[in-house]
Amino acid sequence: MDSGKPSIAVILGTRPNFIKAAPFFKQTQKHTELDFSIIHTQQHYDRVLSNTFFDEMEIPTPDIFLEIPPSSSSQQIGLTLHSLSSLFSERSFDGLVVFGDVDSTLLGTVTAVASSVSVAHIESGLRSHDKRMPEEMNRIIVDHLSDLLFTTEPSANENLVTEGISQSKIKYVGNILAEGIELFWDKISTSIITKTLNLMGDDYCVITIHRYENTENPLVLKAILTLINDLSKKIQLVFPLHPGTRKRIQEFGLGDLVKDTKITDPLGYSDFVQLMVKSRGVITDSGGIQEETSYLGIPCCTLRDNTERPITVDLGSNKLFSIYTAKTDEIMDHLSCNNFKSRHIPLWDHKVSERIINTLSNAYMRGQ
Ligand code: UDP
């Protein structure tokens, strides 16, 4: 039924979307002038990862689940696009909110624009300047099709302006992952995950690897796991294994390289953040974890040649290591480092979603 209020769809598809959506939906409760609907695209592996986050982070139940049968990645893209365009022709949304750089972010944006629905992009403007990354292409296209671009760090504003996007569309609001940590701090600090996993003190390091370019090619995955195997001789490693990465390790017969590493299933949010907080540091290829470790002041070794989040490197908490040339001693040195610059990044605080939703409210209440 039409409530007469501006109707805004929010697309969620993957783990990092859910984590960013939690503070967002907490804030929407204060904005009854807007009608929000959640569309869950159930992107690929993240079906398995989804439910825990909705329960733990109290994200409202999605209004619409896209029923996409498991199939190849390109078939999923086609089916999702088809399903979204049927939805957008049945329902008249006034706006769409998308997060980050995953496929459902791109597909939602393209569909909305084709249906003359305006798009607001949260975590806009990040650039690795590496067009081989599918996420980089998603970011560029989504930013150029969006009407409101919410940014997390100064480099993002510079990138967007350099690409010719009007300054009037860009709003620097800070990082919603920092707000998530503040919002869930009670749950994070009371998690007993280190006890459950039988870990002592801070003498362990957390690993996460899930990026397509690191897991789909057996030679690349082998190089990463060889590094991990070498490191496991120097420090206890805990590896919450993404289902996609697990599948590839099995398929490529690389299980021996993680035999001395403590493997767990992917963890819930509070457990995972507590695991990072208590650790010596993190080794990862994740985007969001580079930011969370910077906010928390934890050393992060990023196994990539570039990052779209340069502020984390400027701060000193994050250091890039190329998988073919990384030396275990250099990684160990960075894990022992704690002389970072000030941890404060402007507007990475508990008010990020308030800034975003106030901007949305102003835009939609005045009819844009
Ligand atoms: N995370 C989690 N459980 C895990 C591993 C990661 O809750 O076992 C969280 C982590 O705290 C961060 C997010 O997942 O908020 C990062 O997601 P991911 O690395 O999948 O995506 P990216 O940030 O690279 O897009």
Side-chain angles (χ1 to χ4, degrees), residues 268-288:
Y269 174 75
S270 308
D271 284 344
F272 183 75
V273 178
Q274 165 76 311
L275 190 69
M276 292 199 289
V277 168
K278 295 277 181 190
S279 72
R280 180 102 69 96
V282 181
I283 298 175
T284 191
D285 63 358
S286 159

Side-chain angles (χ1 to χ4, degrees), residues 15-16 19 53 177 210-211 240 266-269 272 286-289 292:
R15 172 167 74 188
I19 290 166
F53 293 101
L177 285 174
H210 76 288
R211 292 230 99 74
L267 299 176
Y269 174 75
F272 183 75
S286 159
I289 292 171
E292 288 171 336

Side-chain angles (χ1 to χ4, degrees), residues 70 77 160 187 234 303:
I77 288 177
L160 294 171
K187 279 190 181 173
K234 297 181 184 250
L303 297 184

